[in-house]
Amino acid sequence: NPLKSSGDFLLLRDRGIAWNTRAPFASSTRLTRKKLLATMPDGSTRVLIDASTSPGMAAVNALLMALVAGDLDALATRFSMQETLRADGGWSLALQPRDIALKQAFTAIVLEGDRYVRAVEITEPGGDHTRIRFAGLREAPPATRAEASQLD
């Protein structure tokens, strides 16, 4: 059954990603090069991935960062890529995992965008789909000190 959530998303390429879900319930997920943390509505925080204790998970962090940042060089090392350019100036990039470990997690990943990554669709081997859409994107003004502190 579909689950729809919404919130806001902050990407600071050199620092990480803060994803604050507002509905259907409040939560916060922070991804840095070293950790993936989740903060739940009751204020409790769980470390989902810690690269310092699990080097293999550092690769997962790097992959997630590359996906949302559209880092093609990093993605090309782990996926075969098929780019489609649209007449309206947009593009899509279909990623097929190269190695067995990734094939167990993803059947395909499709990025869509224009100047920015606007959507990410992940298809899992069991047929589940995750579609993430980004709206209201902005480069300026830069992140406030409070926004950036989410990634400290």
Side-chain angles (χ1 to χ4, degrees), residues 102-123:
L102 283 178
K103 287 179 181 180
Q104 291 174 346
F106 312 111
T107 303
I109 300 173
V110 177
L111 305 174
E112 296 175 352
D114 43 38
R115 181 172 179 201
Y116 304 102
V117 174
R118 299 284 180 172
V120 177
E121 184 167 350
I122 300 167
T123 304

PDB file of all heavy atoms in Angstrom, residues 102-123:
ATOM      1  N   LEU A 102      24.518  -4.688  -4.622  1.00  0.00           N
ATOM      2  CA  LEU A 102      23.545  -3.667  -4.999  1.00  0.00           C
ATOM      3  C   LEU A 102      22.330  -4.283  -5.682  1.00  0.00           C
ATOM      4  O   LEU A 102      21.215  -3.807  -5.496  1.00  0.00           O
ATOM      5  CB  LEU A 102      24.178  -2.615  -5.903  1.00  0.00           C
ATOM      6  CG  LEU A 102      25.053  -1.584  -5.219  1.00  0.00           C
ATOM      7  CD1 LEU A 102      25.659  -0.635  -6.253  1.00  0.00           C
ATOM      8  CD2 LEU A 102      24.290  -0.809  -4.173  1.00  0.00           C
ATOM      9  N   LYS A 103      22.539  -5.330  -6.466  1.00  0.00           N
ATOM     10  CA  LYS A 103      21.417  -5.984  -7.139  1.00  0.00           C
ATOM     11  C   LYS A 103      20.442  -6.598  -6.140  1.00  0.00           C
ATOM     12  O   LYS A 103      19.261  -6.739  -6.432  1.00  0.00           O
ATOM     13  CB  LYS A 103      21.923  -7.062  -8.104  1.00  0.00           C
ATOM     14  CG  LYS A 103      22.563  -6.482  -9.346  1.00  0.00           C
ATOM     15  CD  LYS A 103      23.064  -7.573 -10.268  1.00  0.00           C
ATOM     16  CE  LYS A 103      23.715  -6.977 -11.497  1.00  0.00           C
ATOM     17  NZ  LYS A 103      24.215  -7.982 -12.417  1.00  0.00           N
ATOM     18  N   GLN A 104      20.920  -6.946  -4.959  1.00  0.00           N
ATOM     19  CA  GLN A 104      20.033  -7.486  -3.926  1.00  0.00           C
ATOM     20  C   GLN A 104      19.182  -6.392  -3.305  1.00  0.00           C
ATOM     21  O   GLN A 104      18.109  -6.657  -2.782  1.00  0.00           O
ATOM     22  CB  GLN A 104      20.846  -8.198  -2.854  1.00  0.00           C
ATOM     23  CG  GLN A 104      21.474  -9.470  -3.359  1.00  0.00           C
ATOM     24  CD  GLN A 104      22.401 -10.118  -2.340  1.00  0.00           C
ATOM     25  OE1 GLN A 104      22.791  -9.516  -1.350  1.00  0.00           O
ATOM     26  NE2 GLN A 104      22.761 -11.362  -2.609  1.00  0.00           N
ATOM     27  N   ALA A 105      19.638  -5.142  -3.381  1.00  0.00           N
ATOM     28  CA  ALA A 105      18.903  -4.026  -2.793  1.00  0.00           C
ATOM     29  C   ALA A 105      18.057  -3.273  -3.816  1.00  0.00           C
ATOM     30  O   ALA A 105      16.976  -2.790  -3.482  1.00  0.00           O
ATOM     31  CB  ALA A 105      19.879  -3.060  -2.126  1.00  0.00           C
ATOM     32  N   PHE A 106      18.547  -3.156  -5.064  1.00  0.00           N
ATOM     33  CA  PHE A 106      17.880  -2.357  -6.089  1.00  0.00           C
ATOM     34  C   PHE A 106      17.797  -3.116  -7.399  1.00  0.00           C
ATOM     35  O   PHE A 106      18.772  -3.696  -7.838  1.00  0.00           O
ATOM     36  CB  PHE A 106      18.658  -1.067  -6.387  1.00  0.00           C
ATOM     37  CG  PHE A 106      19.080  -0.282  -5.188  1.00  0.00           C
ATOM     38  CD1 PHE A 106      20.412  -0.183  -4.842  1.00  0.00           C
ATOM     39  CD2 PHE A 106      18.142   0.371  -4.410  1.00  0.00           C
ATOM     40  CE1 PHE A 106      20.812   0.553  -3.741  1.00  0.00           C
ATOM     41  CE2 PHE A 106      18.519   1.100  -3.305  1.00  0.00           C
ATOM     42  CZ  PHE A 106      19.863   1.197  -2.969  1.00  0.00           C
ATOM     43  N   THR A 107      16.647  -3.046  -8.042  1.00  0.00           N
ATOM     44  CA  THR A 107      16.524  -3.526  -9.413  1.00  0.00           C
ATOM     45  C   THR A 107      16.933  -2.410 -10.357  1.00  0.00           C
ATOM     46  O   THR A 107      17.632  -2.631 -11.338  1.00  0.00           O
ATOM     47  CB  THR A 107      15.074  -3.954  -9.711  1.00  0.00           C
ATOM     48  OG1 THR A 107      14.701  -4.945  -8.768  1.00  0.00           O
ATOM     49  CG2 THR A 107      14.927  -4.492 -11.111  1.00  0.00           C
ATOM     50  N   ALA A 108      16.463  -1.198 -10.033  1.00  0.00           N
ATOM     51  CA  ALA A 108      16.789  -0.026 -10.850  1.00  0.00           C
ATOM     52  C   ALA A 108      16.596   1.231 -10.029  1.00  0.00           C
ATOM     53  O   ALA A 108      15.816   1.248  -9.071  1.00  0.00           O
ATOM     54  CB  ALA A 108      15.896   0.026 -12.089  1.00  0.00           C
ATOM     55  N   ILE A 109      17.296   2.262 -10.435  1.00  0.00           N
ATOM     56  CA  ILE A 109      17.115   3.589  -9.862  1.00  0.00           C
ATOM     57  C   ILE A 109      17.038   4.541 -11.047  1.00  0.00           C
ATOM     58  O   ILE A 109      17.864   4.479 -11.958  1.00  0.00           O
ATOM     59  CB  ILE A 109      18.277   3.986  -8.936  1.00  0.00           C
ATOM     60  CG1 ILE A 109      18.385   2.996  -7.772  1.00  0.00           C
ATOM     61  CG2 ILE A 109      18.094   5.413  -8.430  1.00  0.00           C
ATOM     62  CD1 ILE A 109      19.604   3.198  -6.892  1.00  0.00           C
ATOM     63  N   VAL A 110      16.045   5.405 -11.039  1.00  0.00           N
ATOM     64  CA  VAL A 110      15.901   6.388 -12.109  1.00  0.00           C
ATOM     65  C   VAL A 110      15.904   7.781 -11.486  1.00  0.00           C
ATOM     66  O   VAL A 110      15.115   8.067 -10.583  1.00  0.00           O
ATOM     67  CB  VAL A 110      14.605   6.176 -12.921  1.00  0.00           C
ATOM     68  CG1 VAL A 110      14.446   7.258 -13.982  1.00  0.00           C
ATOM     69  CG2 VAL A 110      14.584   4.798 -13.559  1.00  0.00           C
ATOM     70  N   LEU A 111      16.813   8.608 -11.978  1.00  0.00           N
ATOM     71  CA  LEU A 111      16.870  10.011 -11.577  1.00  0.00           C
ATOM     72  C   LEU A 111      16.256  10.826 -12.707  1.00  0.00           C
ATOM     73  O   LEU A 111      16.493  10.543 -13.876  1.00  0.00           O
ATOM     74  CB  LEU A 111      18.314  10.459 -11.371  1.00  0.00           C
ATOM     75  CG  LEU A 111      19.178   9.663 -10.407  1.00  0.00           C
ATOM     76  CD1 LEU A 111      20.614  10.167 -10.449  1.00  0.00           C
ATOM     77  CD2 LEU A 111      18.635   9.751  -9.008  1.00  0.00           C
ATOM     78  N   GLU A 112      15.477  11.844 -12.352  1.00  0.00           N
ATOM     79  CA  GLU A 112      14.903  12.745 -13.347  1.00  0.00           C
ATOM     80  C   GLU A 112      15.201  14.164 -12.922  1.00  0.00           C
ATOM     81  O   GLU A 112      15.220  14.461 -11.725  1.00  0.00           O
ATOM     82  CB  GLU A 112      13.385  12.561 -13.444  1.00  0.00           C
ATOM     83  CG  GLU A 112      12.971  11.202 -13.933  1.00  0.00           C
ATOM     84  CD  GLU A 112      11.458  11.026 -13.909  1.00  0.00           C
ATOM     85  OE1 GLU A 112      10.738  11.894 -13.370  1.00  0.00           O
ATOM     86  OE2 GLU A 112      11.007  10.013 -14.432  1.00  0.00           O
ATOM     87  N   GLY A 113      15.442  15.033 -13.904  1.00  0.00           N
ATOM     88  CA  GLY A 113      15.709  16.399 -13.524  1.00  0.00           C
ATOM     89  C   GLY A 113      15.879  17.324 -14.689  1.00  0.00           C
ATOM     90  O   GLY A 113      15.564  17.009 -15.830  1.00  0.00           O
ATOM     91  N   ASP A 114      16.384  18.471 -14.351  1.00  0.00           N
ATOM     92  CA  ASP A 114      16.762  19.500 -15.319  1.00  0.00           C
ATOM     93  C   ASP A 114      18.069  20.067 -14.791  1.00  0.00           C
ATOM     94  O   ASP A 114      19.054  19.350 -14.765  1.00  0.00           O
ATOM     95  CB  ASP A 114      15.654  20.554 -15.481  1.00  0.00           C
ATOM     96  CG  ASP A 114      15.036  20.971 -14.150  1.00  0.00           C
ATOM     97  OD1 ASP A 114      15.761  21.092 -13.142  1.00  0.00           O
ATOM     98  OD2 ASP A 114      13.811  21.186 -14.109  1.00  0.00           O
ATOM     99  N   ARG A 115      18.060  21.247 -14.284  1.00  0.00           N
ATOM    100  CA  ARG A 115      19.280  21.764 -13.653  1.00  0.00           C
ATOM    101  C   ARG A 115      19.536  21.046 -12.329  1.00  0.00           C
ATOM    102  O   ARG A 115      20.663  20.945 -11.869  1.00  0.00           O
ATOM    103  CB  ARG A 115      19.118  23.261 -13.420  1.00  0.00           C
ATOM    104  CG  ARG A 115      20.327  23.885 -12.800  1.00  0.00           C
ATOM    105  CD  ARG A 115      20.207  25.377 -12.759  1.00  0.00           C
ATOM    106  NE  ARG A 115      21.408  25.907 -12.117  1.00  0.00           N
ATOM    107  CZ  ARG A 115      21.459  27.072 -11.570  1.00  0.00           C
ATOM    108  NH1 ARG A 115      20.404  27.855 -11.589  1.00  0.00           N
ATOM    109  NH2 ARG A 115      22.572  27.479 -11.007  1.00  0.00           N
ATOM    110  N   TYR A 116      18.491  20.571 -11.715  1.00  0.00           N
ATOM    111  CA  TYR A 116      18.544  19.867 -10.440  1.00  0.00           C
ATOM    112  C   TYR A 116      17.983  18.458 -10.600  1.00  0.00           C
ATOM    113  O   TYR A 116      17.215  18.194 -11.517  1.00  0.00           O
ATOM    114  CB  TYR A 116      17.671  20.569  -9.389  1.00  0.00           C
ATOM    115  CG  TYR A 116      18.002  22.012  -9.170  1.00  0.00           C
ATOM    116  CD1 TYR A 116      17.220  23.016  -9.723  1.00  0.00           C
ATOM    117  CD2 TYR A 116      19.092  22.375  -8.397  1.00  0.00           C
ATOM    118  CE1 TYR A 116      17.508  24.345  -9.507  1.00  0.00           C
ATOM    119  CE2 TYR A 116      19.391  23.704  -8.174  1.00  0.00           C
ATOM    120  CZ  TYR A 116      18.596  24.685  -8.733  1.00  0.00           C
ATOM    121  OH  TYR A 116      18.894  26.003  -8.524  1.00  0.00           O
ATOM    122  N   VAL A 117      18.309  17.586  -9.667  1.00  0.00           N
ATOM    123  CA  VAL A 117      17.613  16.306  -9.567  1.00  0.00           C
ATOM    124  C   VAL A 117      16.229  16.634  -9.015  1.00  0.00           C
ATOM    125  O   VAL A 117      16.100  17.224  -7.949  1.00  0.00           O
ATOM    126  CB  VAL A 117      18.361  15.324  -8.633  1.00  0.00           C
ATOM    127  CG1 VAL A 117      17.540  14.049  -8.440  1.00  0.00           C
ATOM    128  CG2 VAL A 117      19.737  14.993  -9.183  1.00  0.00           C
ATOM    129  N   ARG A 118      15.175  16.302  -9.755  1.00  0.00           N
ATOM    130  CA  ARG A 118      13.800  16.603  -9.349  1.00  0.00           C
ATOM    131  C   ARG A 118      13.085  15.395  -8.762  1.00  0.00           C
ATOM    132  O   ARG A 118      12.132  15.540  -8.011  1.00  0.00           O
ATOM    133  CB  ARG A 118      12.992  17.119 -10.538  1.00  0.00           C
ATOM    134  CG  ARG A 118      13.516  18.385 -11.150  1.00  0.00           C
ATOM    135  CD  ARG A 118      13.190  19.573 -10.314  1.00  0.00           C
ATOM    136  NE  ARG A 118      13.694  20.797 -10.921  1.00  0.00           N
ATOM    137  CZ  ARG A 118      13.409  21.988 -10.463  1.00  0.00           C
ATOM    138  NH1 ARG A 118      12.630  22.125  -9.417  1.00  0.00           N
ATOM    139  NH2 ARG A 118      13.919  23.052 -11.033  1.00  0.00           N
ATOM    140  N   ALA A 119      13.531  14.187  -9.140  1.00  0.00           N
ATOM    141  CA  ALA A 119      12.875  12.981  -8.647  1.00  0.00           C
ATOM    142  C   ALA A 119      13.853  11.816  -8.664  1.00  0.00           C
ATOM    143  O   ALA A 119      14.749  11.753  -9.510  1.00  0.00           O
ATOM    144  CB  ALA A 119      11.651  12.644  -9.503  1.00  0.00           C
ATOM    145  N   VAL A 120      13.667  10.924  -7.716  1.00  0.00           N
ATOM    146  CA  VAL A 120      14.430   9.682  -7.644  1.00  0.00           C
ATOM    147  C   VAL A 120      13.410   8.565  -7.475  1.00  0.00           C
ATOM    148  O   VAL A 120      12.557   8.632  -6.589  1.00  0.00           O
ATOM    149  CB  VAL A 120      15.412   9.675  -6.442  1.00  0.00           C
ATOM    150  CG1 VAL A 120      16.145   8.341  -6.358  1.00  0.00           C
ATOM    151  CG2 VAL A 120      16.393  10.827  -6.535  1.00  0.00           C
ATOM    152  N   GLU A 121      13.460   7.558  -8.327  1.00  0.00           N
ATOM    153  CA  GLU A 121      12.596   6.394  -8.182  1.00  0.00           C
ATOM    154  C   GLU A 121      13.472   5.163  -8.013  1.00  0.00           C
ATOM    155  O   GLU A 121      14.352   4.903  -8.830  1.00  0.00           O
ATOM    156  CB  GLU A 121      11.666   6.209  -9.375  1.00  0.00           C
ATOM    157  CG  GLU A 121      10.718   5.047  -9.152  1.00  0.00           C
ATOM    158  CD  GLU A 121       9.569   4.996 -10.133  1.00  0.00           C
ATOM    159  OE1 GLU A 121       9.378   5.964 -10.886  1.00  0.00           O
ATOM    160  OE2 GLU A 121       8.867   3.982 -10.139  1.00  0.00           O
ATOM    161  N   ILE A 122      13.209   4.446  -6.937  1.00  0.00           N
ATOM    162  CA  ILE A 122      13.982   3.252  -6.609  1.00  0.00           C
ATOM    163  C   ILE A 122      13.051   2.053  -6.723  1.00  0.00           C
ATOM    164  O   ILE A 122      11.974   2.040  -6.116  1.00  0.00           O
ATOM    165  CB  ILE A 122      14.549   3.346  -5.180  1.00  0.00           C
ATOM    166  CG1 ILE A 122      15.459   4.573  -5.063  1.00  0.00           C
ATOM    167  CG2 ILE A 122      15.297   2.066  -4.808  1.00  0.00           C
ATOM    168  CD1 ILE A 122      15.826   4.938  -3.644  1.00  0.00           C
ATOM    169  N   THR A 123      13.460   1.051  -7.486  1.00  0.00           N
ATOM    170  CA  THR A 123      12.697  -0.186  -7.607  1.00  0.00           C
ATOM    171  C   THR A 123      13.507  -1.291  -6.943  1.00  0.00           C
ATOM    172  O   THR A 123      14.682  -1.478  -7.234  1.00  0.00           O
ATOM    173  CB  THR A 123      12.440  -0.543  -9.082  1.00  0.00           C
ATOM    174  OG1 THR A 123      11.781   0.556  -9.712  1.00  0.00           O
ATOM    175  CG2 THR A 123      11.571  -1.790  -9.200  1.00  0.00           C
TER     176      THR A 123
END
